[in-house]
Structures are given as structure tokens and as C-alpha cells.
């Protein structure tokens, strides 16, 4: 289990004996080597075809209208770190309800999944099909390649209540807002394009279909961060 995730669970009140119930993840290994000139050229050529078309894309910013709670926070999640950034959003919401004695409707949470954290926006099928753990050099407790999105239920590890409610899909279902960075999302598109041997437009369409339901892609993570703050959210560096 990553140190960040272990510390989060420890301070949130989970005992050491309960750690085994959580799917662990280590931080990414050393950054992969820079692409060779030929590889860099291939990436530029591969993305140029759809970069221009996205400039005219109509981005969904209607989520700002749903930031209506008296208590508003935006959780910036640029790294994977075992899904801790996502869990902190869930814990904060619960603490607001328990400590401040306010209803769920009084709490608005926005999670911005950007940079390396964009992989948390992808569903379990995507993680399995495109070997996300291997591509991003993410490992589990045993030092093996991580096979599951740690912010989602994986079918093998049961997260005890109330922490099961802090998983990304549960938070979205309960009204939390989850946003994905389009610039970081390109790396997910590249995984599809490379493995499926399809053009960028088709790869993007497929990658979009494999987002965690409810995640809204924004032009960039920074764009989403600023817009959420302009809507009244307090900025939280979640990882």
C-alpha cells in the first residue's frame, strides 16, 4: 500500500488490521525515459489530426450550476497515490455532515482528475484492456503491476463502510462532481490508438466511452480548477 494511502486510512481511523481489505498501490516508478526523436515525431503526428478539431468542441460546463451547497470544496487530484485524493473528498463530505450537522445537499464536492491522476477517471474495463497499471508503472502491495483502478470497487477487495461510500462511483452517484483533464486524457487516447491500431478520432471516441460514468472531461485540469474556484469552491490539494 502506498505511504500516502496508508497515512490517509490511519488518520481516518482505519486500524492496521483493516488495511488488508483495501487494494493497495505504490507510487509510480521512475518516470519513463523521454521518447526518442522518432517516437516524439510519431506522437506529434498522431495528435495533430484531432487537436484542431477539439478547439471547436463544445465543452460541458453546466456542472458549475450544481455547486449549490453552503460548503464547497474542489479537490485537485494530479496523482494516483492509491486513490487518496478521491477518498479525501468523500471523507470531507462525511465530516461536514457529522460535525456540522448539515444535510448532504449543503455540501458540494468537485474532484479534478488531472495529470497522472487521469487514470482514476477510467473504468475497470479500460484498466484491464489497456494494461493501465503496466503503462503507468503502478504496483500493488506485492510489487506486482496494479490491475485495478484503486478509486473503484475491483470485485476482489471489499472496502468496509463507511469508506466504501468514498469510492469514485459512489460519490458521483451521491451528487459529487468529477472532472477530467482533456490534456492528460490524451495519454489514454494514445493507449487505445496504439493497441487497437485505430486513428485518433476513433481512439478518442472509444476512450470516452470507457470513462467512469459521470466523469466530465474539461479542456484542461487547470481550467476546471479555476472554474470551480470561481463558482465558490475552496481549493484543496488532495495529493
Amino acid at each position: 500500500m502506498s505511504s500516502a494511502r496508508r497515512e490517509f486510512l490511519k488518520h481516518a481511523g482505519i486500524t492496521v488490521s483493516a488495511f488488508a481489505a483495501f487494494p493497495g498501490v505504490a507510487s509510480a516508478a521512475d518516470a519513463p525515459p523521454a521518447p526518442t526523436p522518432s517516437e516524439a515525431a510519431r506522437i506529434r503526428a498522431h495528435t495533430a489530426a484531432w487537436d484542431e478539431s477539439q478547439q471547436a468542441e463544445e465543452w460541458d460546463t453546466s456542472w458549475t450550476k450544481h455547486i449549490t451547497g453552503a460548503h464547497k470544496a474542489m479537490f485537485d487530484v494530479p496523482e494516483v497515490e492509491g486513490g487518496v485524493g478521491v477518498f479525501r473528498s468523500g471523507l470531507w463530505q462525511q465530516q461536514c455532515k457529522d460535525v456540522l450537522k448539515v444535510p448532504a445537499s449543503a455540501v458540494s464536492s468537485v474532484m479534478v482528475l488531472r495529470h497522472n491522476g487521469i487514470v482514476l477517471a477510467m473504468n475497470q474495463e479500460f484498466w484491464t484492456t489497456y494494461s493501465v497499471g503496466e503503462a503507468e508503472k503502478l504496483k500493488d502491495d506485492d510489487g506486482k503491476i496494479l490491475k485495478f483502478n484503486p478509486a473503484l470497487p475491483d470485485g476482489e477487495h471489499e472496502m468496509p463502510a463507511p469508506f466504501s461510500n468514498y469510492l469514485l462511483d459512489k460519490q458521483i452517484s451521491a451528487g459529487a462532481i468529477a472532472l477530467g483533464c482533456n490534456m492528460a486524457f490524451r495519454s489514454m487516447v494514445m493507449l487505445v490508438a496504439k493497441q487497437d491500431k485505430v486513428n485518433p478520432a476513433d481512439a478518442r471516441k472509444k476512450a470516452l466511452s470507457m470513462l467512469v460514468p459521470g466523469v466530465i472531461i474539461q479542456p484542461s485540469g487547470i481550467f476546471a480548477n479555476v472554474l470551480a474556484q470561481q463558482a465558490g469552491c475552496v481549493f484543496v490539494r488532495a495529493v
Side-chain angles (χ1 to χ4, degrees):
M1 183 178 297
S2 69
S3 58
R5 187 170 188 174
R6 183 177 293 275
E7 284 301 307
F8 168 81
L9 297 175
K10 176 181 177 181
H11 291 296
I14 291 294
T15 62
V16 174
S17 61
F19 284 156
F22 295 83
V25 59
S27 298
D30 293 339
T36 62
S38 59
E39 178 70 3
R42 183 187 70 81
I43 292 174
R44 287 196 299 271
H46 204 67
T47 57
W50 53 277
D51 275 348
E52 184 175 347
S53 66
Q54 288 183 73
Q55 292 178 9
E57 183 168 338
E58 294 186 6
W59 303 95
D60 180 6
T61 59
S62 62
W63 53 270
T64 57
K65 299 177 182 178
H66 299 289
I67 304 175
T68 57
H71 308 281
K72 311 175 184 70
M74 185 278 294
F75 293 80
D76 185 43
V77 187
E79 301 294 340
V80 179
E81 292 293 353
V84 164
V86 170
F87 299 147
R88 284 183 171 137
S89 164
L91 180 61
W92 169 73
Q93 293 172 68
Q94 187 64 51
Q95 289 173 336
C96 283
K97 290 181 283 187
D98 293 345
V99 178
L100 303 178
K101 309 301 181 184
V102 297
S105 60
V107 184
S108 294
S109 177
V110 179
M111 293 167 281
V112 178
L113 310 176
R114 66 179 184 86
H115 196 51
N116 296 326
I118 191 62
V119 298
L120 298 174
M122 309 309 296
N123 66 20
Q124 299 292 21
E125 181 184 0
F126 187 93
W127 272 66
T128 300
T129 303
Y130 298 102
S131 304
V132 172
E134 181 176 355
E136 301 297 323
K137 298 183 177 4
L138 300 171
K139 297 182 180 181
D140 62 18
D141 295 342
D142 299 319
K144 298 178 181 179
I145 295 298
L146 183 67
K147 297 182 179 180
F148 302 102
N149 181 339
L152 294 175
D154 63 22
E156 292 185 8
H157 304 85
E158 183 177 355
M159 184 174 285
F163 296 92
S164 57
N165 294 325
Y166 304 164
L167 293 168
L168 181 60
D169 57 337
K170 293 290 185 65
Q171 288 194 57
I172 293 174
S173 295
I177 299 167
L179 308 173
C181 170
N182 181 64
M183 296 180 71
F185 185 67
R186 294 177 181 180
S187 62
M188 302 296 95
V189 175
M190 289 297 295
L191 286 179
V192 176
K194 181 177 180 180
Q195 181 165 310
D196 292 2
K197 295 180 172 55
V198 295
N199 63 53
D202 288 341
R204 179 175 172 80
K205 183 177 180 180
K206 185 169 184 180
L208 285 171
S209 74
M210 301 178 82
L211 284 168
V212 173
V215 171
I216 306 169
I217 294 295
Q218 297 293 282
S220 72
I222 299 304
F223 174 90
N225 281 347
V226 174
L227 202 57
Q229 291 176 78
Q230 290 176 335
C233 288
V234 173
F235 176 88
V236 178
R237 181 179 178 181
V239 292

